[in-house]
């Protein structure tokens, strides 16, 4: 019995557990720093880590759903569940940003001088290094496996790092100039930056749900396979469409071959073509429609969707 053409999707939930562990650790670190210093900047940083934890739990559940095989109710599988997780995460980022902005405005109106800044800064640096390390791991794996969940989680954590750096700079300026309002101003800027990141995550999730086309970088190898098999006037392709669905990509194309070919010849050529596609991109699921290249009716459905 031959091995299946399409490998099952990988279980990436272990990376969600890594994100959960990092979120718990940074909540303790940043929460402690905010409590020690009474800094609204550090408090805003800690609030984002709470959102990280919620998002990581949602990502864990979604990753478990996304790898389920196709069934009668979901014949194309469950991989699009990843976009729902990304949408939830983007929404949670907005919630964190709103909390930070409100807290910052309150402190601008009534500035309070933070205390024990040196210890607070040290703890915040440790949390930022931890978050940055985990974010890079998630981003690399997410891009490698085409996981919208891991990429969104990584971008969220990287935003957390940017926020932490901004807060650290703000706290440093407060200590240098003895101006507590700088703490609130930095927190406000961090909140606006987080809101922009949330918008980007939501836009990506909506694009995935709307079957957005893959990037040119991903389409390049597919075009190369088509070019290798194309023979002008004899073998050609049209109506080539590729859509992304979380950890999978679905491709449909029309294959035009000589009308004199037997059914088996056309079938063998198409099967070889699909094997080349999958060898180039294992996440592809390919559906091909065979047509005679000489028949005018073969060109009437080029733009059909």
């Amino acid at each position: 019995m031959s091995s299946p053409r399409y490998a099952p999707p990988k279980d990436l939930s272990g990376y969600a557990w890594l994100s959960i562990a990092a979120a718990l650790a940074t909540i303790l670190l940043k929460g402690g720093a905010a409590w020690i210093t009474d800094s609204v900047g550090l408090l805003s940083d800690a609030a984002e880590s709470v959102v990280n934890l919620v998002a990581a739990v949602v990502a864990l559940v979604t990753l478990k759903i996304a790898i389920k095989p196709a069934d009668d109710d979901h014949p194309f599988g469950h991989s699009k569940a990843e976009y729902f997780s990304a949408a939830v995460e983007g929404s949670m980022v907005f919630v964190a940003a709103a909390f930070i902005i409100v807290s910052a405005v309150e402190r601008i109106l009534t500035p309070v001088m933070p205390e024990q800044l040196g210890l607070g800064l040290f703890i915040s640096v440790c949390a930022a290094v931890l978050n940055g390390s985990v974010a890079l791991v998630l981003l690399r794996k997410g891009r490698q496996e085409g996981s919208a969940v891991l990429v969104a989680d990584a971008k969220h954590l990287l935003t957390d790092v940017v926020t932490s750096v901004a807060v650290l700079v703000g706290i440093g300026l407060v200590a240098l100039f003895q101006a507590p309002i700088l703490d609130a101003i930095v927190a406000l800027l961090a909140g606006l930056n987080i809101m922009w990141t949330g918008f980007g995550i939501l836009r990506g999730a909506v694009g995935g749900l709307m079957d957005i086309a893959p990037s040119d970088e991903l389409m390049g190898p597919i075009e190369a396979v088509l070019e290798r098999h194309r023979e002008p006037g004899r073998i050609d392709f049209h109506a080539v469409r590729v859509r992304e669905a979380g950890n999978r990509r679905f491709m449909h194309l029309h294959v035009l071959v000589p009308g004199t070919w037997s059914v088996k010849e056309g079938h063998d050529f198409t099967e070889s073509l699909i094997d080349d596609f999958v060898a180039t991109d294992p996440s592809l699921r390919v559906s091909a429609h065979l047509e005679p290249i000489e028949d005018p009716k073969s060109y009437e459905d080029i733009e059909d969707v």
Side-chain angles (χ1 to χ4, degrees):
M1 185 176 181
S2 61
S3 59
R5 169 180 283 155
Y6 301 121
K10 296 179 181 179
D11 185 354
L12 302 176
S13 59
Y15 291 91
W17 281 113
L18 175 63
S19 184
I20 289 172
L24 288 171
T26 52
I27 286 171
L28 292 175
L29 289 170
K30 293 179 179 181
W35 180 72
I36 290 170
T37 62
D38 193 28
S39 163
V40 70
L42 292 176
L43 177 63
S44 68
D45 211 6
E48 188 173 4
S49 291
V50 174
V51 176
N52 289 349
L53 176 59
V54 175
V57 172
V58 172
L60 174 63
V61 175
T62 303
L63 286 170
K64 286 295 187 181
I65 295 173
I67 63 172
K68 288 184 177 180
D71 53 35
D72 291 340
D73 293 328
H74 305 89
F76 289 95
H78 300 76
S79 56
K80 272 197 173 184
E82 293 202 18
Y83 295 122
F84 290 100
S85 175
V88 170
E89 185 151 357
S91 301
M92 293 300 296
V93 170
F94 268 104
V95 172
F99 173 80
I100 293 168
I101 291 171
V102 170
S103 300
V105 171
E106 289 177 351
R107 281 298 177 90
I108 289 175
L109 297 176
T110 56
V112 176
M113 187 66 187
E115 303 174 356
Q116 300 188 57
L117 295 179
L119 179 58
L121 288 175
F122 173 75
I123 295 174
S124 189
V125 167
C126 293
V129 170
L130 174 61
N131 265 342
S133 301
V134 173
L136 292 177
V137 171
L138 296 182
L139 187 62
R140 182 170 61 248
K141 192 64 178 179
R143 286 177 173 171
Q144 178 183 336
E145 301 295 339
S147 171
V149 171
L150 292 185
V151 171
D153 208 14
K155 288 182 177 180
H156 190 176
L157 289 177
L158 287 174
T159 302
D160 200 353
V161 174
V162 172
T163 302
S164 296
V165 171
V167 169
L168 290 173
V169 171
I171 297 297
L173 292 174
V174 169
L176 181 63
F177 296 105
Q178 293 297 300
I181 196 173
L182 293 176
D183 177 38
I185 291 174
V186 169
L188 177 61
L189 295 175
L192 293 173
N193 177 65
I194 292 170
M195 188 166 286
W196 177 253
T197 299
F199 172 74
I201 294 174
L202 281 172
R203 182 175 57 185
V206 171
L209 291 171
M210 293 297 293
D211 291 333
I212 191 171
S215 64
D216 291 340
E217 180 182 357
L218 292 172
M219 287 299 296
I222 292 175
E223 295 291 346
V225 171
L226 293 174
E227 195 57 37
R228 286 202 305 270
H229 288 274
R230 184 175 279 117
E231 297 180 20
R234 186 168 179 267
I235 297 174
D236 206 351
F237 313 95
H238 64 226
V240 179
R241 300 182 180 92
V242 183
R243 63 182 178 89
E244 292 197 275
N247 54 37
R248 297 180 183 179
R249 278 182 280 277
F250 292 90
M251 178 180 182
H252 179 74
L253 77 161
H254 294 187
V255 180
L256 292 92
V257 300
T260 56
W261 279 15
S262 67
V263 172
K264 187 177 188 313
E265 285 177 312
H267 171 77
D268 289 346
F269 174 81
T270 303
E271 290 296 305
S272 175
L273 176 70
I274 294 175
D275 284 339
D276 283 354
F277 283 133
V278 176
T280 300
D281 184 353
S283 71
L284 274 178
R285 303 294 186 267
V286 185
S287 173
H289 175 62
L290 198 64
E291 298 179 314
I293 195 169
E294 308 91 347
D295 189 348
K297 291 183 67 66
S298 298
Y299 302 88
E300 292 178 357
D301 54 2
I302 293 177
E303 299 301 329
D304 287 353
V305 295

